[in-house]
Amino acid sequence: MNPLFGEFIGTALLVLLGNGVVANVLLSNTKGHNSGLIVIAFGWAMAVFVGVFSVAAISGAHLNPAVTVALAVAGKFEWARVPGYVLSQMLGGMMGALLVWVMYRKHYETTDCADLKLATFCTGPAIRSLPGNLLSEVLATFVLVFAILSMVAPKMSLGAMDALPVALLVLGIGVSLGGTTGYAMSPARDLAPRIMHALLPIPGKGSSDWGYAWVPVVGSLLGGTLAALTYTHL
């Protein structure tokens, strides 16, 4: 498989399962309605696990523009390949969001709150304070990327279980740092689904909150870059 298609598939799986658990928890009349942050954090961790082990051997399973840019900054990935990877990740994120909408379409119709519908596509702040929200995204992505760069592959491969440390990392970030902004940490996880929210015919969907959309994008790219620079200098 072409690595670019691998990034597309992996990111689509990531967003399908990640935003899928958010939809299951937040939308009306679902089996998982109101099951809480722990379920969302665990679901996102498993989404990362599935996405990573599915395409790690094909593309390296970046699945995140912030990770791709950080790896290039750290000298572990060619800059010439960055645009193709980022585009594939963004398209994969859009596809994953589309599939969540298809899966939960009837539940979008029975949910009255526009904010809950938006939350199944992208993140938003618990308390809107853009400087603080930006700092939250920077810190969360810094932890993500620094830990990924610090991981040492075992001498004996565990196969699919090689993806487990990354999944546990995302679980830890979710339960510890996810309470302020929802720990987007990736334009492919936040901006790409937000675009789909704007495009899809969701009844009563309200605003896509474009005034906030730059925060998870800038925050994740800045946090990942700072993590790469810190890692290389250490």
Side-chain angles (χ1 to χ4, degrees):
M1 187 188 296
N2 185 294
L4 298 182
F5 191 59
E7 285 295 294
F8 172 83
I9 292 294
T11 309
L13 288 171
L14 170 70
V15 173
L16 170 60
L17 297 180
N19 279 1
V21 72
V22 179
N24 192 18
V25 170
L26 297 185
L27 296 179
S28 298
N29 303 312
T30 64
K31 298 291 188 180
H33 185 59
N34 280 337
S35 49
L37 175 64
I38 301 302
V39 171
I40 290 176
F42 186 79
W44 266 106
M46 293 301 96
V48 170
F49 180 72
V50 172
V52 170
F53 82 65
S54 294
V55 300
I58 300 164
S59 66
H62 298 185
L63 313 185
N64 182 345
V67 171
T68 298
V69 171
L71 290 173
V73 170
K76 296 179 178 293
F77 191 71
E78 299 174 10
W79 277 106
R81 301 176 66 190
V82 169
Y85 263 54
V86 170
L87 178 60
S88 297
Q89 293 155 1
M90 293 297 291
L91 292 175
M94 294 174 71
M95 175 58 72
L98 173 63
L99 293 175
V100 171
W101 174 71
V102 170
M103 179 78 181
Y104 285 96
R105 187 170 181 178
K106 289 298 181 181
H107 297 275
Y108 282 104
E109 294 175 358
T110 61
T111 301
D112 295 327
C113 181
D115 290 340
L116 293 181
K117 294 176 184 180
L118 178 62
T120 66
F121 285 86
C122 53
T123 62
I127 298 175
R128 187 173 294 261
S129 172
L130 296 185
N133 303 150
L134 180 64
L135 178 61
S136 294
E137 286 296 328
V138 170
L139 286 175
T141 313
F142 182 96
V143 173
L144 173 73
V145 173
F146 188 83
I148 288 174
L149 290 171
S150 301
M151 288 178 184
V152 178
K155 292 181 180 179
M156 182 176 293
S157 175
L158 300 176
M161 295 304 290
D162 283 341
L164 184 59
V166 183
L168 293 176
L169 168 62
V170 172
L171 176 61
I173 293 173
V175 297
S176 298
L177 305 178
T180 55
T181 61
Y183 67 117
M185 303 188 296
S186 168
R189 175 267 176 272
D190 194 275
L191 178 58
R194 194 183 299 268
I195 292 171
M196 294 308 296
H197 177 270
L199 295 177
L200 289 171
I202 306 166
K205 65 180 178 181
S207 168
S208 298
D209 197 7
W210 291 109
Y212 179 78
W214 66 272
V215 172
V217 175
V218 174
S220 61
L221 292 173
L222 181 57
T225 299
L226 290 174
L229 293 173
T230 302
Y231 175 83
T232 54
H233 282 84
L234 289 177

